[in-house]
Amino acid sequence: MNILEAKQIHKSYGNKFNKQEVLKGINMFIEQGEFVSIMGASGSGKTTLLNVLSSIDHVSQGSIFVEGKEITQMRDKELALFRQKNLGFIFQDYNLLDTLTVKENILLPLSITKTPKKEADQKFTEVALELGIAELQHKYPNEISGGQKQRTSAARAFIHDPSLIFADEPTGALDSKAASDLLNKLSQLNQKRKSTIVMVTHDPVAASYCSRVIFLRDGQIYTQLNRGSETRQAFFQDIMKTLGVLGGVQDDH
């Protein structure tokens, strides 16, 4: 079952005298329970694509459906409610509130929806244990490491059981050990909770944890790879070969 479907997505910036077309007619789908990575060289449009798929930005043309609902036709208020209920976000810079504890940061999505305290505490305990941060619950963001901050951010994204989780360079600010810890946790949550994750990354190691990698080039889908039954190491080699053809990867829009 397709949980997300994008049809003829175009995104331009500027005006008719100085127009930059970043996305040029993208068609794609994400199946329920997939862990998908989006990769591409600088300027390929991968972050722009994530932003429009996640409703952070509006498309210039085209349609995006999430669970059969066309989010590109929703008004701002309807879209905000849909986002609160159905989407989770993990950002490179964590986006944690310094004045709140780890637990309070994680519980934010549930406080917005006025979830009963007992149910919220139960959900917190589950996700905090799954991400290995239960003992940090009373600490503040400035008292924990970057890897722990990102796992807190991930817990906040998962806690309300969203239909889709969008991750924008989630390992970009982490060292290799913290990055592999996070990716292992995301992979486990993807398997255990059947959560659907869409991740933008420039890191082929991070992409190798996914079940499918979509490669962008000049605002269009260039190709994609399915991991299938391959080992992560073999999939990593396939990703590296494809990136070699694309000409490498750097930071993006």
Side-chain angles (χ1 to χ4, degrees), residues 23-241:
L23 302 178
K24 305 170 183 176
I26 285 181
N27 293 294
M28 62 178 288
F29 67 89
I30 306 290
E31 290 186 7
Q32 187 168 12
E34 275 197 293
F35 187 177
V36 177
S37 176
I38 300 171
M39 301 193 79
S42 177
S44 63
K46 59 185 186 291
T47 295
T48 302
L49 178 59
L50 187 83
N51 287 344
V52 297
L53 292 178
S54 64
S55 76
I56 290 174
D57 202 355
H58 296 287
V59 298
S60 301
Q61 184 182 328
S63 302
I64 298 169
F65 297 85
V66 176
E67 292 190 304
K69 297 176 182 175
E70 188 175 359
I71 64 170
T72 36
Q73 292 295 317
M74 290 182 181
R75 295 182 182 274
D76 288 345
K77 188 174 181 181
E78 184 185 6
L79 191 57
L81 290 170
F82 181 85
R83 197 184 291 129
Q84 284 176 15
K85 183 180 178 183
N86 296 284
L87 306 181
F89 296 90
I90 306 171
F91 300 98
Q92 180 177 338
D93 58 359
Y94 322 127
N95 277 22
L96 300 176
L97 297 177
D98 292 335
T99 56
L100 300 182
T101 64
V102 164
K103 182 176 181 179
E104 289 166 343
N105 267 288
I106 292 170
L107 288 174
L108 270 176
L110 299 185
S111 64
I112 292 169
T113 57
K114 296 182 172 57
T115 303
K117 185 178 185 303
K118 186 176 180 181
E119 182 184 343
D121 284 342
Q122 184 179 347
K123 284 179 175 287
F124 167 79
T125 300
E126 287 174 8
V127 75
L129 287 171
E130 286 168 339
L131 281 156
I133 51 174
E135 74 282 1
L136 305 174
Q137 60 180 295
H138 300 303
K139 291 186 178 292
Y140 288 86
N142 64 356
E143 298 176 315
I144 61 178
S145 69
Q148 290 167 335
K149 287 178 185 176
Q150 197 57 296
R151 280 185 277 152
T152 299
S153 177
R156 181 184 58 194
F158 278 95
I159 195 163
H160 60 300
D161 297 313
S163 308
L164 269 165
I165 290 172
F166 293 97
D168 187 5
E169 298 281 9
T171 61
L174 305 180
D175 61 40
S176 57
K177 183 184 183 305
S180 63
D181 285 348
L182 175 70
L183 290 161
N184 275 314
K185 294 293 187 187
L186 290 180
S187 186
Q188 288 165 17
L189 285 166
N190 166 248
Q191 296 290 322
K192 181 178 177 181
R193 292 179 172 236
K194 306 301 179 191
S195 303
T196 308
I197 306 171
V198 182
M199 175 176 72
V200 158
T201 184
H202 68 276
D203 182 2
V205 174
S208 70
Y209 282 81
C210 298
S211 53
R212 180 161 60 108
V213 182
I214 297 170
F215 296 89
L216 297 191
R217 185 175 188 173
D218 299 327
Q220 296 177 309
I221 293 178
Y222 172 72
T223 190
Q224 55 184 312
L225 294 175
N226 287 288
R227 180 172 167 182
S229 58
E230 276 191 311
T231 64
R232 192 170 66 77
Q233 289 74 18
F235 195 41
F236 170 78
Q237 294 300 327
D238 290 344
I239 293 167
M240 289 297 292
K241 288 174 188 172

